[in-house]
Amino acid sequence: MKDKKNGDDSLQPTDGPLTGVEPKQETPESPKAGPEGATPSAPIAIEKPKAGGAAEQRVDADGCPSSSGDHKPRTDEAHPSVAAKSVSAKKPQSFFAEQTPLAIKVAPRILRYRSRRDFLLFGAGALAVLTAGGCLLPQDTLSRIGVPRKIDSPGKEWFLNRALRIDDDVAEALYSGTRILPTYTKSQITPLKNNYNGATPDPGYISGWKLTLDGLASGLSISLDIRNLLSRFSVHEQITRLVCVEGWSAIAWWAGVRFDDLLRAYPPMSQAKWARVESSVNLDASGNPDPYFMSLDLATARHPQTLLATHFNGQPLTVDHGAPLRLLVPMKLGLKNVKAITRITYVAEEPRDYWAERGYSRYDGI
Ligand SMILES: Nc1nc2c(c(=O)[nH]1)N[C@H]1C(S)=C(S)[C@@H](COP(=O)(O)O)O[C@H]1N2
Ligand SMILES: [Mo]
């Protein structure tokens, strides 16, 4: 993924309502999202990141358990109070001796469900690691450890894809739809580059831009322009981190309408579990049309921090950042944050995904 910049940074849509964020519908929970001096929207729990945030803590907590030869039977002296309570008087206890099992009451149904799921997840993961890991070793290493057959590249690729798929499934199983991502203050904002993978589209598309909605319960296809969106829905601000798979991230100030509000106003057909979010104005590196399309599960679309962003830094989005409407899903990698959205289609089955088709994850959670 390369950074291509040929867009006009200063270009902004000329439409009246776009020159400021003025929500038409004010609700008590959505303070006016003014360009200056506004604070992130109230309903979003502000979890101030400490210096050295969760990621670093995780690394710290990840220290290896001591593996020194400390496996002698424990003496009672070491834990006198524990020993006094748990050691049976009948036979002397040692570290290896059979312990009286601790009885924990768990409802049988929960236990069955949990252990089955854990077993499947662990088993699948372990198998994938063994198989994929083994296959990926160089051929001479494999021969040395007695694996004779030459494993060809398609085989490796198949295993890698399976492993990635399992990785995605585990991440998905652990996802909490209610997890609120950290938000930041304006002083923490960092520069955000234009990360169109291909050429930045020519701004000409903006004047005729419309968002089309398909796969609705009504069976209709709906077209909305920016004026429709901004007059109909409350505007919410948020300062969140955008994390790119390429290894950089940026804290950026966005405003826009909640995807959830759009879903309530234009409900998807009942079988729909996914949204396909598309930009038909996307270009490849040579400037040829190259539609960009992403799968988004509806649970993530309904998350309160999932926005259809219209503004960046208190101003209408520039072409560089996806004017006039871009997806903002801070719980997903940058590549899911589709710029210059032109169509959203609700579907029952997981739709195609631009980067998943190019070998990346489908889930892309962070
Ligand atoms: N239409 C479209 N949307 C896109 C991309 C793209 O190439 N085309 N790149 C994605 C990637 S990889 C990232 S990291 C973010 C970057 O957003 P930014 O350009 O506003 O920084 O946009 C995403 N949305
Ligand atoms: Mo990215």
Side-chain angles (χ1 to χ4, degrees), residues 191-249:
L192 180 66
K193 62 174 178 171
N194 167 355
N195 210 39
Y196 263 115
N197 179 60
T200 301
D202 185 282
Y205 72 89
I206 294 174
S207 55
W209 180 90
K210 277 188 168 26
L211 171 68
T212 304
L213 302 178
D214 278 320
L216 299 175
S218 63
L220 300 172
S221 179
I222 298 282
S223 273
L224 302 166
D225 61 21
I226 276 292
R227 211 188 296 250
N228 300 147
L229 284 165
L230 289 175
S231 61
R232 173 128 197 205
F233 303 108
S234 305
V235 173
H236 299 265
E237 282 195 59
Q238 74 192 24
I239 303 177
T240 45
R241 187 186 288 277
L242 183 99
V243 182
C244 178
V245 72
E246 293 166 313
W248 55 268
S249 76

Side-chain angles (χ1 to χ4, degrees), residues 306-344:
T306 298
L307 297 185
L308 293 164
T310 52
H311 288 72
F312 173 70
N313 282 344
Q315 297 293 317
L317 284 173
T318 57
V319 174
D320 281 5
H321 296 301
L325 190 76
R326 67 101 46 91
L327 180 63
L328 200 75
V329 271
M331 69 299 291
K332 297 284 184 187
L333 287 174
L335 46 77
K336 287 268 191 201
N337 293 244
V338 183
K339 302 198 278 187
I341 301 172
T342 52
R343 183 184 297 268
I344 298 173

Side-chain angles (χ1 to χ4, degrees), residues 10 15 102 110 137 143 149 197 200 221 241 257 307 350 353:
S10 64
D15 238 2
L102 245 176
I110 296 174
L137 292 171
S143 323
R149 193 167 61 87
N197 179 60
T200 301
S221 179
R241 187 186 288 277
V257 304
L307 297 185
E350 183 167 5
D353 187 288

Side-chain angles (χ1 to χ4, degrees), residues 161-306:
N161 282 333
R162 296 297 296 176
L164 184 60
R165 183 73 201 233
I166 288 163
D167 209 41
D168 274 358
D169 290 348
V170 172
E172 210 166 336
L174 299 175
Y175 176 73
S176 156
T178 52
R179 180 177 61 124
I180 296 294
L181 282 284
T183 57
Y184 301 84
T185 60
K186 293 213 171 103
S187 63
Q188 293 172 295
I189 291 171
T190 59
L192 180 66
K193 62 174 178 171
N194 167 355
N195 210 39
Y196 263 115
N197 179 60
T200 301
D202 185 282
Y205 72 89
I206 294 174
S207 55
W209 180 90
K210 277 188 168 26
L211 171 68
T212 304
L213 302 178
D214 278 320
L216 299 175
S218 63
L220 300 172
S221 179
I222 298 282
S223 273
L224 302 166
D225 61 21
I226 276 292
R227 211 188 296 250
N228 300 147
L229 284 165
L230 289 175
S231 61
R232 173 128 197 205
F233 303 108
S234 305
V235 173
H236 299 265
E237 282 195 59
Q238 74 192 24
I239 303 177
T240 45
R241 187 186 288 277
L242 183 99
V243 182
C244 178
V245 72
E246 293 166 313
W248 55 268
S249 76
I251 294 173
W253 172 24
W254 307 96
V257 304
R258 287 204 172 132
F259 204 141
D260 189 39
D261 287 344
L262 185 79
L263 282 159
R264 286 168 200 268
Y266 300 100
M269 57 180 189
S270 61
Q271 317 90 286
K273 296 236 167 350
W274 295 88
R276 171 187 156 101
V277 181
E278 185 182 347
S279 175
S280 63
V281 297
N282 197 72
L283 304 174
D284 68 12
S286 342
N288 297 315
D290 182 26
Y292 192 92
F293 45 91
M294 270 294 156
S295 66
L296 188 71
D297 59 285
L298 288 189
T300 302
R302 292 193 174 104
H303 188 287
Q305 287 173 305
T306 298

Side-chain angles (χ1 to χ4, degrees), residues 74-95:
R74 275 187 207 153
T75 62
D76 287 350
E77 287 163 31
H79 305 279
S81 60
V82 174
K85 280 180 186 155
S86 65
V87 170
S88 138
K90 281 183 192 159
K91 47 179 180 175
Q93 294 287 303
S94 80
F95 183 76

